Structures are given as structure tokens and as C-alpha cells.
């Protein structure tokens, strides 16, 4: 029997455990559509479920969020060059976040006539590129074009093995329409297909970890700084263990995951400046930017170690932060080895724990003071911190928050691994709500919340997002801190020109987003619960009602909070 390349491609994805494919379809999908229909008609194998997304950034973001929650690679497919261009921001986010995603796109037919799938519309000429993959090549680990149906299984195996090998990341595969439509004999089922084995971890050099352990043992104020270690859920408990047992402080500036429970007694804060003022040994664990040189520098005699899958962050063109030792390892592998090394030492002065926990206590007290201040403001004044403080009191332990800039992690009170995610280091806006939808798709039993600024919300193509929530039954709560302003633009200007004219005259022509639309209407238009909050006294009740909508009524909700 013969099969089309499209049918073999979908079957190969399923063989590799890919259960769904997030799609934004076009004319190049015709063989894919036919393969699904033929499979249904003939009772073929279970294929990945197609999840329609009304914008490519939504498809990419949903794949990103699903990969974060499941820990497994996800697949998406978009339309030729224009779809690739639209999904490029999502690919950049997946790249910097090291998320394994198979990004596929159709390719305009090469054959002008005489083949199934040949050119039959004007766009098949105008959408062809000399090098379509160049649109995303800098963001992906690997790119390729399917050239023959007989290589489908090998290509899929290659793509997914490269995506899941450390450092993980997106890969790109283009699928020409006439190749997808071409038939060939089925692969021999009698021969069991073998998949490329991928190492699950990267083990550290023992001598390097021993050196770090020696330095920690003799330190007065050792600190581990983690930004993205929590991508491995098992690393959270390991980090908490090493801190508690051996008198080590932990800081988590610009945390993109929950790296340590917010209330751990050794958590000294979320700013690196606090660390560099006191620490004599600092281990940066998966920190792409350990410190910003123009603001702070470690003392000359401070021992610095940088640890991560790629501690040099070799995909960053320039990065010159000093280090006494660099260790290539996954966070869990490094922490496991470090614990074993520290257990073998009997010269650790655990009396230093008192000073570390005193700093941590000061930080928690400052957080509590901020929370109290935010609950005592004028009724017509609502801040992003007030939203975080109120939401934090309403969250359950298993709830997942996707934060795109506006939430204060300390006020959310997250303690369990995998319950907090922050915008990837690439800063591609429009990530939070699509990623939350993908997480909800992958973990339907969990409550998922996206906290966004109004600018980030508009970047997310909200009509497409709320359409997906309704179509695919994904009751996600969206909370918008809506100040009708791109604060990041004003903040960057203030940092660069603190005494400049823009600050003096409050130049807002590049950041003023007023008048704000009725954002709650985007959600209600798709059958959800939507409310606008303008008074501090109404905030808690609005959030409670919205959480009831997503938890009990199983419908999406949006709370548009008008902030200062």
C-alpha cells in the first residue's frame, strides 16, 4: 500500500508522542487536510489533534505554554513565508526560553504544472522565497526542507531529537506542498522504528563542582542566584535543600520560573545588588545576565561561578561577565553533585545561616510592608502591586500564573514548582495569554491566569486568543493592569536620560495608548465573563467572580483593571 508524505508525516509525529499540532492553515495545507480526512474515513492510526489558531503568534505561544507544562516538545504548522514571518516572534521567545518546539511551515509549490499539489493559485508564485527558513534561522537550532516522502520518518526523528537535546530549543521544517502530496510505499512495519536517543541531562565536571564546594564551605555569605533553574521542576527542591542544609542564600532576580519558594527562609531577595553588596561567593545558575555592569559589579575578591547548560550563552553575540569557573550542566545535575560534595565536608560554618536568614527576613518584611501599603491606598488608585497582592490571597497552590511584566512575584505567593512563568528573555510581547491558553490545553485540570499590561494584551491578538479559548474550551483568567501606557518605553528613556528633556516635559508621544478600548468586551464577545474595575474597593470581588467563572462555570474571564 502507498501513503502520501503528509500521512506519513502525521503518523511519525504521533509515533514520537506528539499529541496535538497547533495550526494556522493556508493553501499549502491541502495534503495535510486530505490526510486527516482519509485517516478518519479509513479508520487509520490516532494522529495529533489539530488545534486551530486564528493567528500564528497564538499558535506559537500555545505550543510554548504546552511545552512548559508538559516538559515535552510541541508541534505547530503555519502558512508558508507569511505565516513564518508572523510566528517569528514566538520562535524568538522559544529560542531564548530554550523550549523544544517543532515549527513547520508549508512551502509554495515548486512545480508549475503536472503534479498533485502543483501551483494553482497566483500566490504560489508571489509567496515563494529564495530562502524561506532565513526568516527564523537565527532563532532555531536546525532547519531543513522535506525533499522526498521516503525520508519523512528520518526527518521527523532528526527534528525532534535536535529540539530536545540540550540546550533545548525550536527547530524549523518547511514542507513543500507537492512533496506532501506525493505517494510512496509505506515503511516496513515489520522493522521496529528506532528513535535517536537524546541525553536527558548534562553532567558537570566533578573537579569544577569540587572547587565551587570548597569555596562555599569557606565562605561567610555564599549565595546561589537563579533566574531560570526552575525550568527543571526537580531543581526547585534541590535548590531549597542545598540552601537549608549548608547555610547558603538564594536570590532570584528576573526569575522566569519559580526557582525557589517565595517564603523560603534563605531567600535573600529578587535583586542582584543585595547579593553583590554582601556575598563573597556567588554561583549564578542559569542566569543569562548575572548583573548589569553599569549598575553594579561584584567585588574584586568575590568568587564567581557561572553554571548552566550553556554557561557562556553562546547564542548571545556579546556577553562579558567575568567568572572564575564556568560549569556546563543542567540545574538538577549540578545541584545533585554540589550536595554530594558539600556532604563530604565537615568544615562548613553553619553559623553564617543566621546572617543569611536575617537578610531574608528583612526582604520578607519589606514585601509585607509593600502589601500593606497597597491595601491602604485611595479607593480610586490601583497599582500593579495592588493587583498582585489581591490575587495572591486568592490563588490556590496548584494555580499557574503567566506573568507578562506587571505582576510582583513576591506578592503572588507561589511556592510549588511549575506555578509561575515570566516573559522569556527575548521580550517578545504577546506571549503571556497564548502561553496561558497552551498551558490550559495541556493541563485542563489546573487554573491558569495570565497577568498582562494593556500593551502586552493588544500584542497578543486578543480577538484570536478569546476565540481560541471559546473554541477549544480553555477557561483562562486574563487580568490586565491597564494604565493606557507603555511603561517600558518611558522607563527605558528615564534610565538612559534621567536628567533629559523627555523626563522634564513628560514626553509621552511614544508610549501613550489612550484612549483605552473596552477590553472586557473582547472576552464577552466570545462568551466569557468580563468586567472593568476602576476602584480599589471593587478589585477583590471582581477577581473572586472571575475565578469563580473559570473554576466553577468553566468559561473564560477577563478583568480589566484601570491602574495608575
Amino acid at each position: 500500500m502507498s501513503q502520501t508524505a503528509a500521512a506519513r508525516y502525521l503518523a511519525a509525529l504521533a509515533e514520537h508522542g506528539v499529541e496535538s499540532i497547533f495550526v494556522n492553515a493556508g493553501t499549502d495545507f491541502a495534503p495535510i487536510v486530505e490526510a486527516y480526512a482519509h485517516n478518519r474515513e479509513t479508520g487509520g492510526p490516532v494522529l495529533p489533534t489539530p488545534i486551530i489558531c486564528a493567528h500564528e503568534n497564538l499558535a506559537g505561544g500555545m505550543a510554548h505554554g504546552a511545552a512548559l507544562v508538559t516538559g515535552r516538545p510541541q508541534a505547530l504548522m503555519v502558512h508558508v513565508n507569511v505565516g513564518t514571518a508572523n510566528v517569528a516572534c514566538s520562535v524568538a521567545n522559544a529560542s531564548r526560553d530554550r523550549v523544544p518546539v517543532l515549527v513547520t511551515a508549508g512551502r509554495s509549490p515548486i512545480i508549475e504544472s503536472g503534479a498533485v499539489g502543483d501551483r494553482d493559485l497566483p500566490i504560489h508564485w508571489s509567496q515563494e522565497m529564495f530562502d524561506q527558513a532565513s526568516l527564523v534561522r537565527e532563532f532555531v537550532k536546525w532547519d531543513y526542507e522535506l525533499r522526498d516522502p521516503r525520508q519523512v520518518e528520518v526527518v521527523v526523528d532528526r527534528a525532534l531529537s535536535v529540539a530536545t537535546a540540550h540546550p533545548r530549543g525550536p527547530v524549523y521544517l518547511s514542507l513543500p506542498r507537492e512533496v506532501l502530496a506525493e505517494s510512496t510505499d509505506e515503511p516496513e512495519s515489520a522493522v521496529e522504528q528506532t528513535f535517536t536517543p537524546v541525553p536527558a541531562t548534562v553532567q558537570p565536571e566533578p573537579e569544577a563542582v569540587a572547587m565551587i564546594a570548597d569555596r562555599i564551605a569557606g565562605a561567610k555569605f555564599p549565595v546561589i542566584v537563579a533566574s531560570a533553574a526552575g525550568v527543571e521542576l526537580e531543581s526547585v527542591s534541590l535548590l531549597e535543600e542545598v540552601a537549608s542544609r549548608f547555610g547558603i542564600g538564594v536570590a532570584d532576580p528576573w526569575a522566569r520560573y519559580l526557582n525557589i519558594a517565595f517564603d523560603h527562609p534563605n531567600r535573600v531577595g529578587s535583586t542582584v545588588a543585595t547579593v553583590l553588596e554582601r556575598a563573597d561567593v556567588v554561583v549564578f545558575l542559569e542566569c543569562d545576565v548575572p548583573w548589569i555592569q553599569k549598575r553594579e559589579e561584584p567585588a574584586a575578591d568575590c568568587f564567581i561561578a557561572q553554571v548552566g547548560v550553556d554557561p557562556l550563552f553562546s547564542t548571545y553575540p556579546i556577553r562579558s561577565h567575568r567568572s572564575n569557573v564556568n560549569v556546563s550542566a543542567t540545574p538538577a545535575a549540578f545541584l545533585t553533585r554540589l550536595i554530594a560534595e558539600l556532604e563530604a565536608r565537615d568544615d562548613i560554618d553553619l553559623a553564617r545561616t543566621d546572617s543569611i536568614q536575617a537578610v531574608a527576613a528583612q526582604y520578607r518584611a519589606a514585601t509585607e510592608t509593600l502589601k500593606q501599603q497597597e491595601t491602604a491606598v485611595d479607593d480610586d488608585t490601583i497599582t500593579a502591586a495592588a493587583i498582585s497582592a489581591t490575587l495572591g490571597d486568592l490563588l490556590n497552590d496548584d494555580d499557574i500564573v503567566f506573568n507578562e511584566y506587571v505582576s510582583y512575584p513576591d506578592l503572588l505567593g507561589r511556592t510549588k514548582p511549575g506555578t509561575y512563568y515570566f516573559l522569556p528573555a527575548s521580550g517578545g510581547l504577546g506571549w503571556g495569554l497564548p502561553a496561558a491558553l497552551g498551558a490550559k490545553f495541556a493541563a485542563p485540570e489546573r487554573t491558569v491566569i495570565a497577568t498582562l499590561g494593556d500593551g502586552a494584551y493588544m500584542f497578543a491578538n486578543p480577538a484570536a486568543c478569546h476565540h481560541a479559548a471559546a473554541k477549544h474550551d480553555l477557561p483562562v483568567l486574563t487580568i490586565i493592569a491597564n494604565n493606557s501606557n507603555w511603561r517600558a518605553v518611558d522607563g527605558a528613556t528615564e534610565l538612559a536620560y534621567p536628567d533629559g528633556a523627555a523626563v522634564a516635559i513628560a514626553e509621552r508621544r511614544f508610549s501613550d495608548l489612550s484612549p483605552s478600548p473596552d477590553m472586557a468586551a473582547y472576552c464577552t464577545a466570545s462568551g466569557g465573563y468580563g468586567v472593568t474595575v476602576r476602584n480599589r474597593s471593587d478589585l477583590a470581588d471582581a477577581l473572586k467572580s472571575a475565578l469563580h467563572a473559570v473554576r466553577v462555570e468553566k468559561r473564560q474571564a477577563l478583568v480589566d483593571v484601570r491602574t495608575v
Side-chain angles (χ1 to χ4, degrees), residues 8 28 37 45 51 63 149 158 260 380 413 458 471 482 486 511:
R8 288 179 63 166
D28 47 329
I51 308 300
R158 177 67 172 165
I260 188 170
D380 59 353
M458 288 190 281
K471 181 175 180 60
N482 185 355
W486 263 321
S511 59

Side-chain angles (χ1 to χ4, degrees), residues 225-364:
V225 178
S227 293
V231 65
E232 291 185 306
L233 301 187
E234 62 270 30
S235 76
V236 177
S237 61
L238 290 169
L239 183 55
E240 293 174 348
E241 178 185 352
V242 75
S244 299
R245 290 181 60 190
F246 304 108
I248 302 171
V250 176
D252 54 356
W254 293 100
R256 299 204 298 277
Y257 306 89
L258 182 93
N259 302 297
I260 188 170
F262 87 102
D263 58 354
H264 191 281
N266 287 38
R267 180 172 174 261
V268 296
S270 59
T271 59
V272 75
T274 301
V275 171
L276 298 183
E277 287 173 1
R278 297 173 172 84
D280 50 353
V281 171
V282 184
V283 178
F284 290 97
L285 183 57
E286 286 295 0
C287 296
D288 60 334
V289 183
W291 62 87
I292 296 176
Q293 291 93 325
K294 69 178 293 182
R295 297 185 195 169
E296 61 264 319
E297 287 273 5
D301 59 350
C302 180
F303 178 85
I304 301 293
Q306 296 196 41
V307 181
V309 171
D310 176 15
L312 298 180
F313 288 86
S314 54
T315 60
Y316 288 29
I318 289 293
R319 181 182 181 274
S320 59
H321 304 82
R322 76 170 179 86
S323 181
N324 297 96
V325 60
N326 291 317
V327 180
S328 181
T330 51
F334 168 75
L335 292 169
T336 300
R337 183 77 190 192
L338 180 62
I339 289 171
E341 288 286 347
L342 291 172
E343 284 177 334
R345 287 161 172 77
D346 56 9
D347 56 344
I348 301 174
D349 182 9
L350 294 182
R352 67 192 182 195
T353 302
D354 292 340
S355 59
I356 288 170
Q357 293 190 348
V359 173
Q362 291 173 0
Y363 183 79
R364 290 196 301 275

Side-chain angles (χ1 to χ4, degrees), residues 354-556:
D354 292 340
S355 59
I356 288 170
Q357 293 190 348
V359 173
Q362 291 173 0
Y363 183 79
R364 290 196 301 275
T367 300
E368 184 61 28
T369 298
L370 173 62
K371 181 176 181 179
Q372 296 303 321
Q373 290 172 343
E374 295 301 331
T375 58
V377 295
D378 296 336
D379 192 39
D380 59 353
T381 301
I382 312 176
T383 64
I387 298 172
S388 299
T390 306
L391 177 63
D393 288 338
L394 301 173
L395 292 175
N396 295 329
D397 289 345
D398 281 338
D399 294 347
I400 306 172
V401 177
F402 284 83
N403 175 23
E404 193 158 4
Y405 275 142
V406 297
S407 279
Y408 285 56
D410 296 307
L411 297 176
L412 294 175
R414 302 289 76 204
T415 60
K416 292 188 65 175
T419 60
Y420 175 80
Y421 299 97
F422 183 65
L423 177 69
S426 50
L429 292 183
W431 165 86
L433 182 50
L437 290 167
K440 183 65 177 178
F441 175 81
E445 75 286 356
R446 307 278 293 275
T447 298
V448 182
I449 302 99
T451 59
L452 319 169
D454 48 321
Y457 176 69
M458 288 190 281
F459 262 104
N461 301 285
C465 288
H466 293 298
H467 169 266
K471 181 175 180 60
H472 303 302
D473 192 21
L474 304 173
V476 164
L477 170 56
T478 304
I479 302 172
I480 304 171
N482 185 355
N483 63 354
S484 298
N485 180 263
W486 263 321
R487 175 58 193 158
V489 176
D490 292 340
T493 304
E494 292 166 10
L495 281 173
Y497 301 99
D499 301 316
V503 173
I505 68 170
E507 173 63 76
R508 295 291 182 267
R509 285 176 290 177
F510 293 87
S511 59
D512 184 2
L513 296 178
S514 62
S516 179
D518 180 2
M519 292 182 173
Y522 280 108
C523 186
T524 57
S526 290
Y529 170 84
V531 63
T532 301
V533 177
R534 292 182 169 84
N535 295 315
R536 177 69 180 81
S537 56
D538 297 328
L539 179 59
D541 287 342
L543 293 179
K544 289 176 183 176
S545 297
L547 285 167
H548 182 271
V550 299
R551 288 171 175 162
V552 180
E553 299 173 12
K554 304 300 182 184
R555 61 179 180 137
Q556 61 179 308

Side-chain angles (χ1 to χ4, degrees), residues 20-336:
S20 56
I21 179 169
F22 302 93
V23 299
N24 184 273
T27 61
D28 47 329
F29 276 65
I32 297 288
V33 175
E34 181 67 13
Y36 270 110
H38 184 265
N39 181 269
R40 174 183 288 184
E41 186 179 63
T42 60
V46 176
L47 301 179
T49 302
I51 308 300
I52 295 177
C53 302
H55 193 278
E56 293 86 353
N57 193 60
L58 170 60
M62 287 188 69
H64 191 139
L68 289 176
V69 169
T70 63
R72 300 193 303 270
Q74 303 294 312
L76 64 99
M77 184 170 176
V78 298
H79 177 48
V80 296
N81 62 338
V82 288
T84 301
N86 268 351
V87 83
C89 181
S90 290
V91 180
N93 283 338
S95 175
R96 288 294 187 248
D97 225 11
R98 296 178 180 167
V99 171
V101 178
L102 171 56
V103 183
T104 60
R107 188 198 184 283
S108 292
I110 300 170
I111 304 300
E112 293 183 293
S113 65
V116 177
D118 57 15
R119 296 184 178 186
D120 52 22
L121 289 169
I123 58 171
H124 291 152
W125 280 265
S126 58
Q127 288 183 333
E128 184 182 13
M129 293 183 67
F130 292 103
D131 187 3
Q132 180 175 297
S134 66
L135 291 168
V136 293
R137 181 163 294 131
E138 188 162 340
F139 302 140
V140 299
K141 296 179 62 181
W142 172 93
D143 69 85
Y144 195 70
E145 180 175 299
L146 183 66
R147 295 163 187 169
D148 189 287
R150 290 169 294 184
Q151 67 172 166
V152 166
E153 290 77 19
V154 171
V155 168
V156 169
D157 179 67
R158 177 67 172 165
L160 291 173
S161 61
V162 171
T164 53
H166 290 291
R168 294 176 174 140
V171 295
Y172 181 82
L173 175 63
S174 54
L175 303 168
R177 193 170 82 155
E178 66 267 56
V179 177
L180 286 176
E182 188 176 345
S183 295
T184 187
D185 291 340
E186 292 185 23
E188 295 183 17
S189 57
V191 179
E192 184 176 351
Q193 185 178 352
T194 58
F195 300 146
T196 300
V198 177
T201 185
V202 178
Q203 291 294 329
E205 182 183 359
E207 293 78 6
V209 182
M211 178 195 301
I212 294 171
D214 285 340
R215 292 287 188 157
I216 289 176
K220 294 181 179 178
F221 202 102
V223 178
I224 297 175
V225 178
S227 293
V231 65
E232 291 185 306
L233 301 187
E234 62 270 30
S235 76
V236 177
S237 61
L238 290 169
L239 183 55
E240 293 174 348
E241 178 185 352
V242 75
S244 299
R245 290 181 60 190
F246 304 108
I248 302 171
V250 176
D252 54 356
W254 293 100
R256 299 204 298 277
Y257 306 89
L258 182 93
N259 302 297
I260 188 170
F262 87 102
D263 58 354
H264 191 281
N266 287 38
R267 180 172 174 261
V268 296
S270 59
T271 59
V272 75
T274 301
V275 171
L276 298 183
E277 287 173 1
R278 297 173 172 84
D280 50 353
V281 171
V282 184
V283 178
F284 290 97
L285 183 57
E286 286 295 0
C287 296
D288 60 334
V289 183
W291 62 87
I292 296 176
Q293 291 93 325
K294 69 178 293 182
R295 297 185 195 169
E296 61 264 319
E297 287 273 5
D301 59 350
C302 180
F303 178 85
I304 301 293
Q306 296 196 41
V307 181
V309 171
D310 176 15
L312 298 180
F313 288 86
S314 54
T315 60
Y316 288 29
I318 289 293
R319 181 182 181 274
S320 59
H321 304 82
R322 76 170 179 86
S323 181
N324 297 96
V325 60
N326 291 317
V327 180
S328 181
T330 51
F334 168 75
L335 292 169
T336 300

